[in-house]
Amino acid sequence: MLDLRAPTLPPELGERLVRDVYRRDFRERFAAIRNRDSWKLERRQHFEEQGSASRDALSRGDWDEALRLIEEQREDLLASVREDERRGSRFHRVRVVEKPLTPYLQWELYSLRQRAECGGRVRTISAEAVAASEGHGLLPELVVLGGRTLYEIVYTESGVPNGAVRYTDSEIVGRWESYIKELYGAGEDVESYFAREVAHLPPPTTNAE
């Protein structure tokens, strides 16, 4: 396990944003970043993503269609990575994985592998590796934008997106950015993880089947 303990995240220092406000705030701040990297930590093993045709296909139990729709996103991903490079800003993702994989996570790892194939920076890390930081609950879902803004992404109990809490205190942002960087450094590239742990798996069984 990593010796590093996760920093604290005092809720009283954050500002709660409803979903639409969060999405608008995120877009504006992300577009303004120049020559600074961003970092994302994903911990939950199940989400109810909205607005994703591929995710909808997974929910229906149509695995082939879900993968086909992921592949359709390739050109958009390539364009997004090129735009990040133009702005001198790379987006890094750390995905915590537990086994056995949930249907959602098995699906998401196909998407994350594709993102890496398009030049994105994605690594996985096991839940065991972060257990020392989870004595009082799971790590939060976080995004650090350009070293200046930290969002704790909020979900309902069933995994539906429900806005975020925004932090701009430089010490809080800096500590969490450093922590996610440590996890990224200790993680495994998603492509090698996928080849070993995911590629051979049969289609997941969902509630729709």
Side-chain angles (χ1 to χ4, degrees):
M1 293 186 294
L2 295 176
D3 292 333
L4 182 67
R5 296 294 195 276
T8 58
L9 196 58
E12 68 275 10
L13 297 183
E15 180 180 359
R16 183 71 167 89
L17 306 178
V18 297
R19 188 182 181 200
D20 288 346
V21 174
Y22 160 61
R23 294 174 69 179
R24 182 171 64 251
D25 191 74
F26 184 101
R27 287 195 299 267
E28 292 173 355
R29 290 173 184 260
F30 184 72
I33 296 172
R34 297 293 184 276
N35 302 314
R36 285 295 305 266
D37 290 350
S38 296
W39 302 82
K40 184 173 185 179
L41 172 62
E42 293 185 298
R43 177 61 182 90
R44 291 177 64 112
Q45 304 297 291
H46 176 81
F47 296 97
E48 291 294 339
E49 293 194 10
Q50 299 176 329
S52 168
S54 178
R55 179 68 176 90
D56 292 342
L58 172 67
S59 297
R60 297 193 305 269
D62 193 343
W63 182 240
D64 289 341
E65 178 69 358
L67 297 187
R68 186 189 69 79
L69 289 167
I70 286 176
E71 182 58 31
E72 282 190 354
Q73 301 170 9
R74 186 174 295 272
E75 289 302 318
D76 289 342
L77 283 173
L78 287 167
S80 176
V81 170
R82 286 194 293 266
E83 173 60 19
D84 288 350
E85 291 174 349
R86 186 189 67 79
R87 296 187 293 114
S89 177
R90 299 170 299 179
F91 199 98
H92 302 74
R93 296 170 183 264
V94 180
R95 165 33 95 181
V96 178
V97 291
E98 295 182 25
K99 293 196 294 185
L101 300 178
T102 63
Y104 172 87
L105 192 53
Q106 184 177 341
W107 168 82
E108 188 194 31
L109 285 164
Y110 274 84
S111 178
L112 293 176
R113 179 194 60 162
Q114 181 190 64
R115 186 175 294 275
E117 290 172 344
C118 293
R121 290 163 170 80
V122 186
R123 291 188 177 179
T124 64
I125 194 164
S126 70
E128 290 80 9
V130 300
S133 293
E134 295 192 324
H136 300 288
L138 298 181
L139 288 170
E141 304 285 324
L142 300 174
V143 180
V144 178
L145 290 186
R148 294 186 175 182
T149 308
L150 168 67
Y151 296 103
E152 179 185 5
I153 309 170
V154 179
Y155 296 88
T156 65
E157 288 187 9
S158 62
V160 176
N162 192 29
V165 180
R166 182 181 63 198
Y167 297 83
T168 55
D169 179 90
S170 59
E171 290 189 7
I172 292 175
V173 175
R175 286 197 296 268
W176 277 102
E177 182 178 54
S178 295
Y179 179 72
I180 300 173
K181 285 181 180 180
E182 291 280 353
L183 296 183
Y184 187 88
E188 177 181 359
D189 287 340
V190 70
E191 290 177 275
S192 62
Y193 180 86
F194 182 94
R196 187 183 67 252
E197 301 288 350
V198 183
H200 67 280
L201 295 176
T205 300
T206 67
N207 292 334
E209 297 178 283

